[in-house]
Amino acid sequence: MRVGIGLPVTTKGTGGELLLAWARRAEEAGFDALTSIDRIVYPGFESMTAMAAAAAVTSRIGLRTNVLLAPARSAPMVAKQAASVDQISGGRFMLGIGVGRRTDDYEATGRDFHTRGRRLDADLEAIHAEWRGQPAGGRSRPSTVPSVRDGAVPVFFGGSLEAAIGRIVRWGVGWSVSSRGPKETHNNAERVRAAWREAGRDGSPMIMVMHYFALGEDSNVDYLMDYYGYQGERARMFADGAYRRAADVTAALRDFAAIGVDEYTFVPTMADLTQVDRLADAVEAAGV
């Protein structure tokens, strides 16, 4: 099982220098992937910009948006940004897409919240057309640089499985979900795998899980109460559920490796570079 670590793109106290240092340290520590969560109306770094910056200061580690609010952006811009990061990283980038739950993220970009799912389906057609060099809208030339791999950037989907499963089997390489426990994750992953087979796709879909962490005696998860404050009491669920002990990390990795999860990513709640090293030590102890 691959193990990833989130960039602190929305974590309070993160500056540009720390963001780049975090990317370098994560690669040095042996992590397989760097990820960025995405919000528009929240203080923090823009996801694709952060991915490009991380690509520029690393050479091996994988890069993923997990996940980008694609329907809050225009399809040509998503296609152009993703292909750009793919080129800058030498093919290390995967585009994770979701629709989000906050209306203000859409209000801020002038795009309708209630039609975001339907628009995403149309946008996926346009995005892939751009990557194939087939511009939509009567334009004479594509907007993007060529992607590194086979005319497309690998795409995976997050969010509600009911809404995402059709997109996964048509357009995707896999599914990403916030950790809800091994049993529930296994059951939903089996649904994705079954739909994948029924659609005649070769191989298997990637199953990706993410969870928040803050390790050490000085651990602090208060950021989650603010970040998820729009969900009311559910914010406390995220804060209380964050991993705060190395033993939590090792247990999670062993449990989720046992059910066939392909990649597990730990997302930081603190803008503290020592968190990278503490997490690396816990991952090493898990031996997965």
Side-chain angles (χ1 to χ4, degrees):
M1 182 171 67
R2 294 181 298 275
V3 181
I5 184 171
L7 282 166
V9 289
T10 56
T11 307
K12 294 179 180 179
T14 301
E17 185 176 342
L18 174 62
L19 194 75
L20 299 180
W22 191 286
R24 295 189 192 99
R25 184 75 65 86
E27 182 165 85
E28 292 166 359
F31 287 100
D32 298 299
L34 275 168
T35 69
S36 65
I37 57 178
D38 189 47
R39 285 271 291 276
I40 307 297
V41 185
Y42 193 85
F45 290 85
E46 196 279 320
S47 294
M48 298 296 256
T49 305
M51 287 286 100
V57 298
T58 59
S59 61
R60 176 199 60 80
I61 197 166
L63 305 166
R64 294 97 165 82
T65 51
N66 196 359
V67 291
L68 187 80
L69 302 179
R73 299 160 166 85
S74 72
M77 185 57 71
V78 171
K80 191 179 187 77
Q81 289 176 322
S84 297
V85 176
D86 195 51
Q87 277 284 349
I88 292 167
S89 68
R92 291 182 284 135
F93 178 60
M94 294 175 62
L95 176 63
I97 290 176
V99 299
R101 302 176 69 173
R102 285 179 58 107
T103 58
D104 57 358
D105 286 327
Y106 287 83
E107 291 167 355
T109 58
R111 303 181 72 81
D112 185 64
F113 175 80
H114 300 288
T115 61
R116 67 198 190 284
R118 294 194 297 275
R119 284 188 292 102
L120 176 57
D121 292 328
D123 287 351
L124 286 165
E125 295 272 6
I127 289 167
H128 282 80
E130 289 284 347
W131 289 339
R132 292 192 302 268
Q134 301 168 346
R139 286 177 284 112
S140 61
R141 63 183 68 183
S143 303
T144 76
V145 296
S147 59
V148 173
R149 292 152 293 177
D150 300 324
V153 177
V155 178
F156 63 92
F157 295 90
S160 166
L161 183 57
E162 297 297 333
I165 200 164
R167 297 174 189 132
I168 294 167
V169 299
R170 182 176 182 188
W171 299 110
V173 298
W175 175 56
S176 176
V177 63
S178 295
S179 176
R180 301 290 178 86
K183 183 176 181 180
E184 182 177 348
T185 300
H186 173 72
N187 291 340
N188 286 331
E190 286 298 293
R191 291 181 58 198
V192 175
R193 293 173 181 131
W196 187 273
R197 291 190 297 269
E198 290 169 7
R201 295 286 303 271
D202 294 332
S204 301
M206 280 183 60
I207 305 299
M208 308 164 75
V209 176
M210 59 180 288
H211 200 92
Y212 290 103
F213 81 99
L215 300 179
E217 294 181 0
D218 57 346
S219 65
N220 189 323
V221 296
D222 291 347
Y223 147 78
L224 295 175
M225 295 298 296
D226 184 50
Y227 188 81
Y228 288 104
Y230 72 98
Q231 294 192 34
E233 288 301 312
R234 279 177 54 85
R236 175 56 60 188
M237 177 190 73
F238 287 102
D240 289 346
Y243 297 146
R244 303 180 74 164
R245 302 177 304 150
D248 297 331
V249 171
T250 57
L253 288 173
R254 290 167 181 165
D255 289 346
F256 283 88
I259 63 168
V261 165
D262 298 290
E263 188 167 295
Y264 199 107
T265 295
F266 298 90
V267 181
T269 70
M270 299 171 62
D272 180 347
L273 198 57
T274 64
Q275 289 292 304
V276 180
D277 299 320
R278 290 175 179 175
L279 181 62
D281 289 342
V283 171
E284 183 178 5
V288 297

